Amino acid sequence: MTGFRWMALLAALVLAARGGNAQTAPGGARMVDARATAETRALFRNLLRTAERGQVMYGHQDDLAYGVSWTREPGRSDVKEVVGAYPAVYGWELGDLERGDSASLDGVRFDDIRRWIQEGYARGGVVTVSWHMDNPVTLGDSWDTTTAVPAILPGGARHARYREWLDRFAEYARTLRGSRGEPIPVIFRPFHEMSGSWFWWGRGHVTPAQYRELWRFTVRYLRDEKGLHNLIWAYSPNASDDFQARYLEFYPGDEYVDVLGLDEYFWPNPSGDPAATLAEHLRFVVAQAEARGKVAALTETGFEGIPDAGWWTGTLLRAIRAQRIAYVLTWRNANAAAKPGHFYGPYPGHPSAPDFVRFARDLAVLLENELPPMYR
Ligand code: BMA
């Protein structure tokens, strides 16, 4: 063997060992679902690998549904119109599906979401879903913080209603299929931002034990009773004071979580350096994820209205660079007629668009057209 070949063999062995490590890290890299479909298992492995390579997929909520100046126009995407490629990760929101409504709380039809999920998946993109579920006791929205979790746990007065809502989710999830009829893998991120107190499932409205029981019941019900085997389960606390102490407060356990996430937003006039704070939080999340053989991700972020033209590389990239997180998801670009100024991704003509292009071209950042096959 030539020296070069030896080097190549050595490099391959090192890579294999690192891959192997991730699969058998302390705590075990077993997925929540031992019977997950082949594509779902492949996605989980490829999320781990992406992070190990130091690459991060860029994602955007509701990307194909609408942008700041358009709604429901085939093929459109604010991100693509800025940088020439679709995001690598698509976030979708299922709030109001539980009511049997035909459109989400943001006015996006579930039939359209299904079609867009299928389109993104067919191009090799990754799908993640959140669910701003109504309050199951009052039928108010997610922000109605009337105590509700104890009522929907097994034995609770509204448990049957909760099962019905999960049945609706399962029915919908079963229709998400690729061209060969295979279930499309979905990174499912229910009951997010529980370390804040703005949702009925959040801190102060639920005890950690109740939250964990709710999560575990939900996993078992969808996996074992409804037979869904295309879900990757993401736990996503929000940033808070005393972040490290609180991060695992509601953690349902290694057997019930595949992705350790973080929702952290940026605000005007911060004290200190927000990129440094986010970087510090991510280092903690990555360490927790790696110790458990799980995927780390920045499951929601953004700076509403992006009032800093250099934010993408000057702040976001600075915070996520050299962190081993698989993806970052910026929140939606609400249509200006519906919710003016409520956008978190770029769009053509916005002052931060050129900096987004620099961000997207960074070698560490992956858009959809740069993804390796994620389902093999
Ligand atoms: C929030 C806002 C709301 C939206 C909700 C669910 O952060 O964007 O306007 O209804 O997410 O998507």
Side-chain angles (χ1 to χ4, degrees):
M1 253 189 228
T2 64
F4 174 76
R5 280 195 172 165
W6 273 113
M7 290 292 287
L9 181 64
L10 194 64
L13 285 172
V14 168
L15 277 176
R18 286 184 50 184
N21 248 342
Q23 301 295 310
T24 54
R30 259 168 302 158
M31 296 181 66
V32 169
D33 189 354
R35 295 176 55 208
T37 66
E39 291 80 9
T40 308
R41 280 184 277 123
L43 176 60
F44 180 73
R45 273 196 313 275
N46 286 315
L47 291 170
L48 286 172
R49 284 191 189 138
T50 302
E52 278 167 17
R53 281 195 304 265
Q55 293 183 311
V56 53
M57 300 187 282
Y58 171 72
H60 189 213
Q61 182 76 3
D62 280 357
D63 187 79
L64 305 174
Y66 51 82
V68 170
S69 68
W70 55 275
T71 302
R72 203 167 174 258
E73 293 182 31
R76 291 198 70 173
S77 151
D78 278 353
V79 168
K80 180 163 185 267
E81 286 162 32
V82 166
V83 76
Y86 289 109
V89 177
Y90 298 95
W92 297 106
E93 166 57 38
L94 298 185
D96 288 359
L97 183 74
E98 69 280 7
R99 311 203 312 201
D101 287 1
S102 58
S104 77
L105 76 168
D106 299 319
V108 188
R109 295 177 211 182
F110 295 117
D111 286 345
D112 285 338
I113 293 179
R114 177 188 306 108
R115 199 163 37 75
W116 287 318
I117 285 178
Q118 288 165 338
E119 277 178 28
Y121 170 75
R123 287 191 295 256
V126 172
V127 176
T128 178
V129 157
S130 54
W131 191 357
H132 288 76
M133 195 188 289
D134 278 352
N135 183 308
V137 168
T138 62
L139 303 182
D141 62 21
S142 300
W143 294 268
D144 175 342
T145 55
T146 308
T147 304
V149 174
I152 59 174
L153 292 175
R158 291 296 175 199
H159 182 62
R161 174 177 284 164
Y162 184 55
R163 277 179 189 255
E164 234 171 76
W165 288 5
L166 293 180
D167 291 347
R168 291 206 171 108
F169 172 86
E171 206 178 297
Y172 186 75
R174 257 196 285 281
T175 66
L176 304 175
R177 293 192 182 256
S179 59
R180 293 174 286 109
E182 78 282 18
I184 297 176
V186 170
I187 302 172
F188 184 41
R189 194 169 64 88
F191 304 124
H192 63 301
E193 300 176 7
M194 81 304 291
S195 39
S197 299
W198 42 90
F199 298 132
W200 55 260
W201 57 83
R203 196 167 206 272
H205 317 301
V206 64
T207 67
Q210 289 164 349
Y211 183 93
R212 288 187 209 114
E213 195 184 342
L214 175 63
W215 185 287
R216 292 172 190 158
F217 168 79
T218 306
V219 167
R220 288 192 215 108
Y221 189 73
L222 292 177
R223 181 190 60 192
D224 306 335
E225 287 191 44
K226 305 310 287 185
L228 292 181
H229 297 296
N230 58 331
L231 302 182
I232 289 180
W233 291 80
Y235 170 74
S236 59
N238 50 281
S240 59
D241 296 340
D242 213 5
F243 175 73
Q244 299 198 5
R246 286 198 187 174
Y247 185 79
L248 294 171
E249 194 179 359
F250 298 90
Y251 187 62
D254 291 346
E255 281 170 71
Y256 294 92
V257 172
D258 295 310
V259 175
L260 293 193
L262 165 63
D263 287 16
E264 178 154 346
Y265 282 86
F266 291 79
W267 310 95
N269 312 316
S271 58
D273 176 0
T277 308
L278 174 57
E280 187 191 316
H281 292 168
L282 285 174
R283 274 193 292 277
F284 177 77
V285 173
V286 167
Q288 294 298 320
E290 289 185 348
R292 297 173 160 80
K294 312 233 173 257
V295 174
L298 182 51
T299 38
E300 271 189 47
T301 191
F303 191 179
E304 189 180 38
I306 322 166
D308 167 4
W311 183 75
W312 296 100
T313 59
T315 300
L316 184 61
L317 188 58
R318 196 151 58 80
I320 66 178
R321 186 191 276 296
Q323 306 265 9
R324 290 180 299 276
I325 57 172
Y327 67 91
V328 47
L329 181 90
T330 54
W331 203 240
R332 64 202 194 99
N333 278 13
N335 189 277
K339 201 165 177 180
H342 188 64
F343 60 87
Y344 299 84
Y347 65 87
H350 186 270
S352 80
D355 193 51
F356 182 81
V357 174
R358 285 191 286 277
F359 168 82
R361 296 214 170 125
D362 190 279
L363 283 179
V365 176
L366 301 177
L367 273 80
E368 187 180 76
N369 63 348
E370 299 166 299
L371 286 180
M374 296 301 283
Y375 301 102
R376 283 207 305 264

